[in-house]
């Protein structure tokens, strides 16, 4: 069964860039869509966007101006960059397999935006 | 954006009870509806896709129904491990959006 693992800094300063990587194991990144989803503490889920293994992307309009996703098929990884972060971006960030049906998830990583 | 509204927001029930959670979409999404279960401190688990198709390994006491704008998730006989928060989510168009969640608690 495919496994996903998020990695990256747990603390980011306001106005800086949040960068996370998701490593896929026990399966190939090829031929799948991959998504990022976040959850502020105590709140619901928000889809950030997806990337296809070819590099095609689809971002949520609410975050589109600040989001960039990329994929490295040689490393079986995909990444998220979120620029100009504020405290409102504090959340658990999940990577997941799928562009619309999210059938496998990473364990999530808490990113706190604070000076 | 398509808005997803769940009801109730919270629900208390007992072991063995039959419970139903409702999800309403702000426009027709056909059967492009998923359900997830999330336990505290854990990632969501995919339960149902296509409004009614159970993911592999999901117990048969879970069922989903509906199409268009109105959907339900039913648990036929609550087990201790079912107490969690449940989310619906559409994949009819972009952006994908989730309901606000239904917190299922032990009575």
């Amino acid at each position: 069964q495919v496994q996903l693992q998020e990695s990256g800094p747990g603390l980011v300063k306001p106005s800086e860039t949040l960068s996370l990587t998701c490593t896929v194991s026990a399966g190939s990144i090829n031929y799948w869509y991959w998504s990022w989803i976040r959850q502020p503490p105590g709140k619901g889920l928000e889809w950030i966007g997806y990337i296809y293994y070819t590099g095609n992307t689809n971002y949520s309009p609410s975050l589109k101006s600040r989001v960039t996703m990329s994929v490295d098929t040689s490393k079986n990884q995909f990444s998220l960059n979120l620029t100009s972060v504020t405290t409102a971006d504090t959340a658990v960030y999940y990577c997941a397999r799928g562009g619309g049906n999210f059938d496998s998830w990473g364990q999530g990583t808490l990113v706190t935006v604070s000076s | 954006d398509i808005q997803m509204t769940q009801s109730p927001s919270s629900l208390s029930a007992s072991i063995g009870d039959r419970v139903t959670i409702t999800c309403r979409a702000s426009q027709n999404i056909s059967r492009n509806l998923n359900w997830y279960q999330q336990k505290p401190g854990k990632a969501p688990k995919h339960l149902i896709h296509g409004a009614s198709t159970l993911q592999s390994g999901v117990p048969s006491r879970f069922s989903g129904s509906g199409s268009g704008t109105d959907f339900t998730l039913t648990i036929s006989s609550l087990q201790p491990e079912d107490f969690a928060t449940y989310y619906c989510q559409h994949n009819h168009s972009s952006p994908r959006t989730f309901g606000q969640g239904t917190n299922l608690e032990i009575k």
Side-chain angles (χ1 to χ4, degrees):
Chain A
Q1 182 175 350
V2 68
Q3 296 184 353
L4 296 85
Q5 178 67 59
E6 305 88 352
S7 59
L11 180 64
V12 181
K13 289 182 168 56
S15 80
E16 295 189 345
T17 296
L18 179 160
S19 296
L20 296 173
T21 295
C22 183
T23 300
V24 178
S25 58
S28 175
I29 203 168
N30 291 331
Y31 309 112
W32 289 94
Y33 289 88
W34 303 91
S35 287
W36 288 97
I37 295 158
R38 69 180 183 178
Q39 185 171 36
K43 297 188 178 181
L45 299 161
E46 179 183 20
W47 175 74
I48 299 170
Y50 68 64
I51 186 166
Y52 195 43
Y53 80 101
T54 57
N56 290 346
T57 56
N58 182 8
Y59 303 143
S60 174
S62 65
L63 296 168
K64 187 174 184 177
S65 63
R66 298 193 291 130
V67 170
T68 304
M69 295 182 186
S70 59
V71 62
D72 187 336
T73 55
S74 68
K75 295 182 178 179
N76 240 28
Q77 293 177 334
F78 62 104
S79 297
L80 168 70
N81 275 4
L82 181 65
T83 63
S84 304
V85 297
T86 70
T87 55
D89 295 309
T90 293
V92 175
Y93 285 76
Y94 295 100
C95 57
R97 187 174 73 174
N101 302 324
F102 310 118
D103 64 358
S104 295
W105 296 61
Q107 66 184 24
T109 186
L110 174 63
V111 179
T112 301
V113 178
S114 176
S115 55
Chain B
D1 298 4
I2 297 174
Q3 307 298 320
M4 307 300 293
T5 304
Q6 290 180 232
S7 60
S9 295
S10 62
L11 174 60
S12 294
S14 301
I15 302 298
D17 283 355
R18 178 184 180 93
V19 298
T20 297
I21 298 168
T22 297
C23 178
R24 175 164 289 176
S26 61
Q27 64 189 70
N28 188 340
I29 60 169
S30 186
R31 294 179 60 81
N32 298 310
L33 193 282
N34 294 293
W35 288 99
Y36 301 86
Q37 175 194 66
Q38 186 179 33
K39 297 183 179 179
K42 300 295 186 182
K45 174 186 176 182
H46 194 194
L47 296 178
I48 288 172
H49 68 272
S52 62
T53 303
L54 262 62
Q55 286 291 100
S56 175
V58 174
S60 59
R61 63 181 179 273
F62 289 91
S63 63
S65 66
S67 66
T69 60
D70 294 318
F71 302 86
T72 59
L73 172 69
T74 298
I75 309 172
S76 60
S77 178
L78 274 173
Q79 299 302 301
E81 60 269 29
D82 299 337
F83 292 93
T85 299
Y86 293 84
Y87 293 94
C88 62
Q89 172 250 327
H90 84 83
N91 66 335
H92 183 70
S93 60
S94 186
R96 318 312 195 188
T97 53
F98 293 83
Q100 81 278 16
T102 295
N103 184 23
L104 178 54
E105 299 176 320
I106 300 175
K107 183 183 288 184

